[in-house]
Amino acid sequence: MDVTQQLLTVGAVLAGALLSFVGTSLNDRFRFRRDKAAKLIEQRSAAYADYGRAIKACYSLSNRIAAGRGLHATTPSLSPEDGLPQLEAASAQRERDWEHVLLLGDPATVEAARTWHRSVWRMEWYAHGWIDGADAAGWEDAVATASRSRTEFYAAARQSLDIPDARLEDGSWPLEWMMKRKPSAT
């Protein structure tokens, strides 16, 4: 073998090694980014679900306490004396879960969560008795606003998680269903 042929062979081996190194590096980088994106989606999903459960607890307790105040007739009532401590505990959990949404959520979902949060606060004010001149019409408006805000939160969350949108028209349950529903035990 002459020197030229040996140099070509060494060059081909070096080129193959370089291409193998570059290919492996690019593949590792792609896999790292894919795994990181998958982990973010998983964490976002958990944060959104935890927050949804926490704020739903505040919503439900506010409904029951409002029924105890005579503002809401379709929900089993809970006296303010018994319900307000539970509502405070649920609010504290919501605050903890809110931090995860702030940390992991995309801007549209954070804004939708903030809107839902504010609408449920209004329900909590009714439950606490902080609304002067509270009446059933104002209460029902607060509930309807919270239901719409919930629908928008889940629509934004699904978009953030790249899940197809499958929401109901207004996010509320049919009145006939609510009237037939059995009271939950506390």
Side-chain angles (χ1 to χ4, degrees):
M1 267 193 176
D2 66 343
V3 175
T4 305
Q5 204 173 20
Q6 289 177 350
L7 288 175
L8 285 174
T9 302
V10 169
V13 168
L14 290 174
L18 181 63
L19 287 174
S20 177
F21 174 77
V22 169
T24 301
S25 296
L26 289 174
N27 189 35
D28 287 347
R29 183 176 296 166
F30 173 75
R31 187 175 338 127
F32 173 77
R33 286 182 182 163
R34 184 188 66 224
D35 292 347
K36 184 177 174 184
K39 186 168 184 147
L40 175 61
I41 293 294
E42 183 179 314
Q43 290 173 331
R44 269 187 180 168
S45 178
Y48 296 163
D50 290 346
Y51 177 75
R53 278 189 293 276
I55 199 164
K56 179 68 178 193
C58 295
Y59 174 94
S60 296
L61 284 165
S62 295
N63 261 325
R64 295 189 62 206
I65 296 166
R69 292 187 182 280
L71 294 171
H72 193 58
T74 60
T75 301
S77 67
L78 182 63
S79 72
E81 296 78 26
D82 292 336
L84 289 175
Q86 293 177 48
L87 182 56
E88 292 304 317
S91 293
Q93 182 63 49
R94 178 193 57 211
E95 290 173 15
R96 286 188 293 275
D97 292 338
W98 171 239
E99 296 303 319
H100 290 126
V101 172
L102 284 174
L103 179 65
L104 298 168
D106 70 312
T109 305
V110 169
E111 189 55 37
R114 185 173 280 125
T115 299
W116 189 21
H117 195 112
R118 288 177 182 148
S119 68
V120 172
W121 273 346
R122 185 172 163 213
M123 292 176 62
E124 289 180 35
W125 295 339
Y126 275 94
H128 278 279
W130 296 339
I131 303 285
D132 289 331
D135 63 355
W139 168 254
E140 292 304 323
D141 180 61
V143 170
T145 300
S147 291
R148 281 190 305 274
S149 298
R150 175 181 181 256
T151 299
E152 294 306 316
F153 167 75
Y154 281 109
R158 282 189 295 272
Q159 185 172 0
S160 170
L161 299 170
D162 200 25
I163 298 171
D165 192 359
R167 64 181 146 163
L168 299 171
E169 280 299 310
D170 65 357
S172 63
W173 291 99
L175 183 58
E176 301 81 32
W177 180 85
M178 291 188 72
M179 298 305 281
K180 293 177 184 174
R181 187 174 109 171
K182 293 181 182 178
S184 61
T186 54

